Amino acid sequence: MKSTYKIFYTIFSIILISACTNKKAETVVEKNIPKVEMSLQTNKNEESIEGIYKTAECDISVEITKTKDGYQYFLKTNTRRAKGKAIFSKNESDEKYLFLEGIKWDEYEGDISNQENDSITESEPKELEIPVGIDASYVKDTLTIQNYGNSTNSYTKISECGLKYIQLIKK
Protein backbone atom coordinates (compact mmCIF):
# COMPACT_ATOMS: atom_id res chain seq x y z
CA MET A 1 0.00 0.00 0.00
CA LYS A 2 2.97 2.24 0.52
CA SER A 3 3.78 2.10 -3.12
CA THR A 4 0.23 3.17 -3.99
CA TYR A 5 0.58 6.25 -1.82
CA LYS A 6 3.94 7.06 -3.41
CA ILE A 7 2.45 6.82 -6.88
CA PHE A 8 -0.57 8.88 -5.82
CA TYR A 9 1.62 11.64 -4.29
CA THR A 10 3.91 11.67 -7.29
CA ILE A 11 1.01 12.00 -9.74
CA PHE A 12 -0.64 14.62 -7.53
CA SER A 13 2.61 16.62 -7.36
CA ILE A 14 3.05 16.49 -11.14
CA ILE A 15 -0.54 17.66 -11.69
CA LEU A 16 -0.13 20.43 -9.14
CA ILE A 17 3.13 21.68 -10.69
CA SER A 18 1.75 21.53 -14.22
CA ALA A 19 -1.43 23.32 -13.12
CA CYS A 20 0.62 26.20 -11.74
CA THR A 21 2.69 26.58 -14.88
CA ASN A 22 -0.03 26.09 -17.49
CA LYS A 23 -1.89 29.36 -17.09
CA LYS A 24 -4.05 30.66 -19.87
CA ALA A 25 -2.42 33.33 -21.95
CA GLU A 26 -3.98 36.69 -21.21
CA THR A 27 -4.66 39.03 -24.06
CA VAL A 28 -3.03 42.40 -23.49
CA VAL A 29 -4.63 45.36 -25.17
CA GLU A 30 -2.30 48.28 -25.71
CA LYS A 31 -4.02 51.57 -25.07
CA ASN A 32 -3.01 54.74 -26.81
CA ILE A 33 -1.50 56.64 -23.93
CA PRO A 34 0.27 59.78 -25.06
CA LYS A 35 3.98 59.73 -24.33
CA VAL A 36 5.41 62.71 -22.55
CA GLU A 37 9.03 63.44 -23.29
CA MET A 38 10.93 65.83 -21.08
CA SER A 39 14.28 67.31 -21.90
CA LEU A 40 16.53 68.85 -19.33
CA GLN A 41 17.49 72.43 -20.06
CA THR A 42 20.94 72.15 -18.54
CA ASN A 43 23.71 69.98 -19.82
CA LYS A 44 26.16 69.12 -17.05
CA ASN A 45 29.02 68.71 -19.56
CA GLU A 46 28.48 72.16 -21.03
CA GLU A 47 30.65 74.83 -19.47
CA SER A 48 29.03 78.02 -18.29
CA ILE A 49 31.02 81.10 -19.24
CA GLU A 50 28.98 83.30 -16.92
CA GLY A 51 30.67 84.51 -13.76
CA ILE A 52 33.22 86.90 -12.28
CA TYR A 53 36.83 86.56 -13.46
CA LYS A 54 39.69 88.12 -11.52
CA THR A 55 43.47 88.21 -11.66
CA ALA A 56 45.63 88.05 -8.56
CA GLU A 57 48.49 90.11 -10.02
CA CYS A 58 46.53 93.21 -11.08
CA ASP A 59 43.36 94.95 -9.97
CA ILE A 60 41.25 93.75 -12.91
CA SER A 61 37.93 91.93 -12.95
CA VAL A 62 35.50 90.98 -15.71
CA GLU A 63 31.93 89.93 -15.02
CA ILE A 64 30.19 87.95 -17.77
CA THR A 65 26.39 87.66 -17.70
CA LYS A 66 23.98 85.97 -20.10
CA THR A 67 21.28 88.07 -21.72
CA LYS A 68 18.50 87.20 -24.13
CA ASP A 69 20.74 88.35 -27.01
CA GLY A 70 23.97 86.60 -25.93
CA TYR A 71 26.49 87.74 -23.34
CA GLN A 72 27.37 91.03 -21.70
CA TYR A 73 30.54 92.04 -19.83
CA PHE A 74 31.52 94.55 -17.14
CA LEU A 75 35.26 95.33 -16.95
CA LYS A 76 36.60 96.96 -13.81
CA THR A 77 40.17 98.17 -13.21
CA ASN A 78 41.59 100.64 -10.71
CA THR A 79 41.16 103.49 -13.24
CA ARG A 80 38.24 102.56 -15.50
CA ARG A 81 34.90 100.85 -15.85
CA ALA A 82 33.55 99.53 -19.16
CA LYS A 83 30.59 97.46 -20.18
CA GLY A 84 29.30 96.12 -23.45
CA LYS A 85 28.58 93.09 -25.55
CA ALA A 86 30.70 89.94 -25.14
CA ILE A 87 30.82 87.64 -28.15
CA PHE A 88 31.62 83.98 -27.48
CA SER A 89 33.00 81.98 -30.42
CA LYS A 90 34.99 78.90 -31.43
CA ASN A 91 37.49 78.57 -34.25
CA GLU A 92 38.01 75.60 -36.57
CA SER A 93 40.17 73.74 -34.04
CA ASP A 94 37.54 74.14 -31.27
CA GLU A 95 39.50 76.82 -29.40
CA LYS A 96 37.11 79.13 -27.54
CA TYR A 97 37.34 82.92 -27.55
CA LEU A 98 35.54 85.81 -25.94
CA PHE A 99 35.55 89.22 -27.63
CA LEU A 100 34.79 92.23 -25.43
CA GLU A 101 33.38 94.97 -27.69
CA GLY A 102 33.93 98.65 -27.05
CA ILE A 103 37.17 98.65 -25.02
CA LYS A 104 39.69 101.04 -26.61
CA TRP A 105 43.31 99.87 -26.47
CA ASP A 106 45.65 102.14 -24.52
CA GLU A 107 48.48 102.20 -27.11
CA TYR A 108 48.92 101.07 -30.70
CA GLU A 109 51.90 101.76 -32.95
CA GLY A 110 50.94 99.28 -35.63
CA ASP A 111 52.64 96.36 -37.31
CA ILE A 112 55.96 97.61 -38.72
CA SER A 113 56.91 94.30 -40.33
CA ASN A 114 54.95 95.20 -43.49
CA GLN A 115 56.14 98.81 -43.74
CA GLU A 116 58.87 99.75 -46.20
CA ASN A 117 61.97 101.51 -44.88
CA ASP A 118 62.32 104.13 -47.59
CA SER A 119 64.41 106.98 -46.16
CA ILE A 120 64.39 108.95 -49.45
CA THR A 121 60.66 109.53 -49.58
CA GLU A 122 59.90 110.15 -45.97
CA SER A 123 56.50 111.65 -45.56
CA GLU A 124 54.50 112.57 -42.55
CA PRO A 125 53.72 109.52 -40.47
CA LYS A 126 50.11 108.40 -40.64
CA GLU A 127 48.02 108.77 -37.57
CA LEU A 128 47.07 105.20 -36.68
CA GLU A 129 43.60 104.43 -35.49
CA ILE A 130 43.65 102.75 -32.09
CA PRO A 131 41.78 99.42 -32.19
CA VAL A 132 38.66 98.90 -30.13
CA GLY A 133 37.74 95.55 -28.58
CA ILE A 134 39.73 93.01 -26.62
CA ASP A 135 39.85 89.31 -27.38
CA ALA A 136 40.55 86.64 -24.79
CA SER A 137 41.05 82.92 -25.13
CA TYR A 138 38.77 80.83 -22.93
CA VAL A 139 39.87 77.52 -21.42
CA LYS A 140 37.76 75.93 -18.65
CA ASP A 141 37.46 78.74 -16.09
CA THR A 142 40.22 81.07 -17.34
CA LEU A 143 40.22 84.04 -19.71
CA THR A 144 43.67 84.92 -21.11
CA ILE A 145 44.33 88.29 -22.73
CA GLN A 146 47.59 88.99 -24.59
CA ASN A 147 48.11 92.46 -23.18
CA TYR A 148 51.02 93.76 -25.24
CA GLY A 149 52.95 92.98 -28.38
CA ASN A 150 56.61 93.16 -29.36
CA SER A 151 58.96 95.52 -31.25
CA THR A 152 57.47 94.72 -34.66
CA ASN A 153 53.86 94.98 -33.48
CA SER A 154 53.78 97.33 -30.52
CA TYR A 155 50.54 97.71 -28.60
CA THR A 156 49.15 97.75 -25.07
CA LYS A 157 45.54 96.85 -24.45
CA ILE A 158 45.21 97.47 -20.70
CA SER A 159 48.00 99.68 -19.33
CA GLU A 160 46.82 99.25 -15.74
CA CYS A 161 48.52 95.83 -15.78
CA GLY A 162 52.11 95.30 -16.89
CA LEU A 163 51.74 91.58 -17.59
CA LYS A 164 52.12 90.29 -21.15
CA TYR A 165 49.37 87.70 -20.55
CA ILE A 166 46.60 88.64 -18.17
CA GLN A 167 44.93 85.52 -16.80
CA LEU A 168 41.51 86.11 -15.29
CA ILE A 169 40.27 83.12 -13.29
CA LYS A 170 36.59 82.48 -12.55
CA LYS A 171 35.70 82.92 -8.88
Side-chain angles (χ1 to χ4, degrees):
M1 196 107 178
K2 278 187 170 182
S3 64
T4 316
Y5 285 117
K6 284 184 182 180
I7 295 174
F8 174 74
Y9 284 119
T10 307
I11 294 174
F12 180 73
S13 299
I14 293 173
I15 293 172
L16 184 62
I17 292 173
S18 65
C20 291
T21 58
N22 289 333
K23 290 185 178 179
K24 283 186 177 178
E26 293 181 18
T27 307
V28 177
V29 177
E30 189 175 314
K31 294 181 181 177
N32 288 333
I33 299 173
K35 293 182 181 178
V36 178
E37 292 184 20
M38 298 175 72
S39 64
L40 296 175
Q41 294 294 326
T42 58
N43 183 353
K44 301 226 184 231
N45 294 331
E46 187 176 309
E47 294 179 45
S48 174
I49 195 166
E50 292 181 84
I52 298 173
Y53 297 80
K54 292 185 177 186
T55 181
E57 295 86 5
C58 304
D59 187 20
I60 298 176
S61 69
V62 176
E63 182 177 359
I64 306 295
T65 55
K66 188 163 178 61
T67 65
K68 63 179 179 174
D69 299 323
Y71 293 99
Q72 179 178 314
Y73 75 87
F74 178 69
L75 171 79
K76 179 180 169 187
T77 71
N78 56 359
T79 60
R80 67 174 142 179
R81 310 281 185 269
K83 65 180 180 176
K85 187 175 183 180
I87 300 170
F88 182 68
S89 63
K90 289 183 186 180
N91 65 12
E92 300 83 33
S93 58
D94 257 2
E95 294 172 324
K96 298 172 187 171
Y97 291 92
L98 192 67
F99 184 74
L100 308 176
E101 289 186 343
I103 301 172
K104 189 173 182 179
W105 294 12
D106 288 331
E107 297 174 16
Y108 181 66
E109 293 180 20
D111 183 1
I112 63 168
S113 64
N114 294 329
Q115 296 176 356
E116 292 183 34
N117 292 332
D118 191 1
S119 59
I120 299 172
T121 59
E122 284 187 25
S123 60
E124 287 185 35
K126 283 188 197 178
E127 185 67 29
L128 292 175
E129 188 174 320
I130 295 181
V132 176
I134 293 178
D135 59 333
S137 67
Y138 175 75
V139 177
K140 290 195 180 190
D141 62 348
T142 304
L143 294 172
T144 303
I145 299 169
Q146 183 172 345
N147 194 33
Y148 61 84
N150 54 27
S151 61
T152 60
N153 187 13
S154 181
Y155 63 86
T156 304
K157 294 178 182 177
I158 301 173
S159 62
E160 293 95 297
C161 187
L163 297 174
K164 177 144 180 125
Y165 295 99
I166 300 172
Q167 289 193 320
L168 298 149
I169 300 169
K170 190 175 187 179
K171 301 295 175 193

